[in-house]
Amino acid sequence: MEGTEPMNWFSEFATNASARGVGVVLYSGNNDGLIAHRGTEIAIQNTTFGGIQGFTVKPSTPWYNDARKFAGIIRQERNWTYVLFDGAGHLVPGDRPESAFTFLREFVLGNNQTGLVTRDKKGKVVVIGGTNETLAQDILPGSDEIYYGPGAKISTYVFPAATRAAWKSFIRTETAVPSPNVRP
């Protein structure tokens, strides 16, 4: 595979995994400053698995931890699972241990089908657990605080309110072109 472009390699991997019934699990925290969830979502949408490029339904199904608290967004489709953890940074189990444990038990080791895209007898797309219109609009913002310093969260910085408002306004007006397979 020398000389293979990264996305081509990932699509080859995904195709082989799908053909062999091997599941793929990807997750991110919405506060991760090292590996932003947008990159994970773009990689999924640019990868062909199960013979189709990307998810056909935008991740927008809420899921809940054992304490019945909102834990994030989940999508399961064609043997792929993607979870966006609410309020978690790069080290999800350290930031949201209860949600991470529920996710591991229910979705990685278990058979929880929340967020699974299927079809009913008439061929209509059905998402187990439904979808949430607000979450479908890409609304699961990270926190405004930026933590920095060696080791643990030593210092915190928050951009001025006017800067944050300008950024939110910009993000509302700019939208990426979705994969032709994605339905809101």
Side-chain angles (χ1 to χ4, degrees):
M1 293 225 256
E2 188 176 320
T4 301
E5 293 294 321
M7 281 313 303
N8 291 343
W9 174 89
F10 200 54
S11 285
E12 281 182 42
F13 161 78
T15 299
N16 289 331
S18 293
R20 290 168 176 74
V22 174
V24 174
V25 177
L26 301 170
Y27 66 92
S28 295
N30 72 326
N31 283 337
D32 190 340
L34 294 175
I35 302 174
H37 66 90
R38 299 273 186 245
T40 305
E41 293 161 7
I42 289 168
I44 292 168
Q45 287 310 109
N46 286 317
T47 302
T48 299
F49 52 98
I52 300 170
Q53 181 180 334
F55 285 139
T56 60
V57 178
K58 188 172 189 166
S60 59
T61 302
W63 69 283
Y64 301 86
N65 63 25
D66 290 340
R68 300 187 188 275
K69 292 184 179 177
F70 176 74
I73 299 170
I74 188 159
R75 175 61 65 239
Q76 299 186 76
E77 191 173 335
R78 300 183 322 276
N79 224 18
W80 276 48
T81 300
Y82 170 67
V83 170
L84 178 59
F85 283 86
D86 183 43
H90 190 64
L91 302 174
V92 171
D95 292 335
R96 294 291 185 251
E98 188 165 22
S99 296
F101 177 72
T102 302
F103 168 67
L104 174 67
R105 187 191 65 234
E106 295 292 316
F107 297 101
V108 177
L109 302 175
N111 194 26
N112 189 321
Q113 295 187 340
T114 301
L116 180 66
V117 177
T118 62
R119 293 194 179 271
D120 65 15
K121 292 179 182 178
K122 295 180 180 179
K124 181 182 176 191
V125 172
V126 175
V127 178
I128 296 174
T131 58
N132 178 294
E133 289 303 316
T134 301
L135 297 175
Q137 298 302 314
D138 210 16
I139 307 297
L140 190 56
S143 66
D144 288 333
E145 297 84 11
I146 297 173
Y147 300 102
Y148 61 94
K153 300 172 184 170
I154 293 177
S155 297
T156 305
Y157 179 77
V158 178
F159 283 95
T163 302
R164 288 182 280 138
W167 177 252
K168 288 176 184 174
S169 175
F170 169 76
I171 289 297
R172 277 193 299 271
T173 61
E174 298 296 315
T175 57
V177 177
S179 166
N181 298 319
V182 174
R183 285 172 244 173

